[in-house]
Amino acid sequence: MGLLRHLQHWLTGPGRPLVVAEFVPETHPLRQWADTFPWAALVTAVDRNFTQRFPVPTARGRAPVATRVLLALELLKHELHCSDEQICSQLRTDLAVMYACGITQVQVNRTQEHFVLPELLTQFRSRLDEPLLKELLALQAAAAIEQGVVSPAHLVVDTFPSEQGSQRVNDAATLYKAKKKSSRSSRRLRTSAVPRARP
């Protein structure tokens, strides 16, 4: 209910609301992606950090956009290789993006161009400092291990989003290549060590 209260300035309108989950299949990649995140823990960490570092905003004016929405948009921006403008536009038109942002019901005013302005996403991102990002990463990694999505023995976290198909070197790639090279050379040594029969 808290999320709905934050978004009521654009979720209110005439007619029956759309239930977002009914329009996004369970097999949709964005739904599966969103369902792996420990959103409650991530939002709590962001809100606690912001409360400590920034003054309490005034109670006047429009209700703020929920942290859950802004955090999901920031992550989706990198996942989908979008600009701020593109991801905010997709939030207005794409039910899968709405689902990923935790929006459960929608009643839309067709004349409203944006649900979240790109400038707001930029402001949110500027507040994410290094200690907070490390905390969010630790929460996400712990949740992934708990769900059995990754093994703690082989967990390698690459914090830098990269273009699909890029050849950027990271620790995981280097380790994999080193192991592969090592197994090839040891196979060659074993083969050359076997004495060959003379004709």
Side-chain angles (χ1 to χ4, degrees):
M1 195 62 186
L3 185 60
L4 187 62
R5 182 181 64 78
H6 282 291
L7 299 171
Q8 65 189 348
H9 60 277
W10 60 266
L11 290 178
T12 54
R16 236 175 113 219
L18 291 175
V19 178
V20 175
E22 290 178 4
F23 291 87
V24 185
E26 291 185 10
T27 55
H28 194 288
L30 279 188
R31 182 169 182 158
Q32 293 177 339
W33 174 87
D35 288 346
T36 64
F37 282 83
W39 291 111
L42 296 175
V43 168
T44 300
V46 171
D47 287 342
R48 185 179 61 245
N49 182 284
F50 284 8
T51 302
Q52 290 170 353
R53 292 172 47 231
F54 301 102
V56 178
T58 177
R60 292 181 299 175
R62 190 179 271 190
V65 175
T67 303
R68 167 76 169 82
V69 173
L70 293 171
L71 184 58
L73 285 175
E74 183 60 27
L75 294 169
L76 279 168
K77 177 187 163 182
H78 294 289
E79 188 70 22
L80 301 176
H81 307 290
C82 294
S83 66
D84 288 350
E85 291 78 12
Q86 289 169 328
I87 198 63
C88 288
S89 176
Q90 283 191 41
L91 177 63
R92 174 68 176 80
T93 59
D94 190 333
L95 288 166
V97 172
M98 289 180 198
Y99 180 91
C101 289
I103 298 167
T104 55
Q105 295 184 345
V106 185
Q107 286 180 309
V108 182
N109 176 357
R110 283 182 293 177
T111 61
Q112 190 169 4
E113 193 173 334
H114 289 288
F115 294 164
V116 176
L117 292 171
E119 297 80 26
L120 187 58
L121 188 56
T122 306
Q123 183 185 24
F124 174 77
R125 183 171 51 253
S126 71
R127 293 178 164 208
L128 300 172
D129 64 350
E130 193 64 32
L132 175 58
L133 290 174
K134 284 181 180 176
E135 183 180 356
L136 296 178
L137 199 58
L139 288 168
Q140 188 180 352
I145 290 169
E146 189 178 312
Q147 293 171 16
V149 178
V150 295
S151 163
H154 302 98
L155 181 62
V156 178
V157 180
D158 185 2
T159 55
F160 297 97
S162 59
E163 293 294 324
Q164 196 170 13
S166 73
Q167 297 298 314
R168 194 173 61 75
V169 176
N170 59 30
D171 292 341
T174 308
L175 183 62
Y176 172 74
K177 286 177 185 172
K179 284 182 178 177
K180 197 172 177 181
K181 189 176 181 182
S182 158
S183 67
R184 255 187 281 157
S185 59
S186 63
R187 214 179 304 128
R188 251 187 265 125
L189 281 173
R190 279 197 303 265
T191 309
S192 61
V194 175
R196 293 183 182 161
R198 291 183 183 173

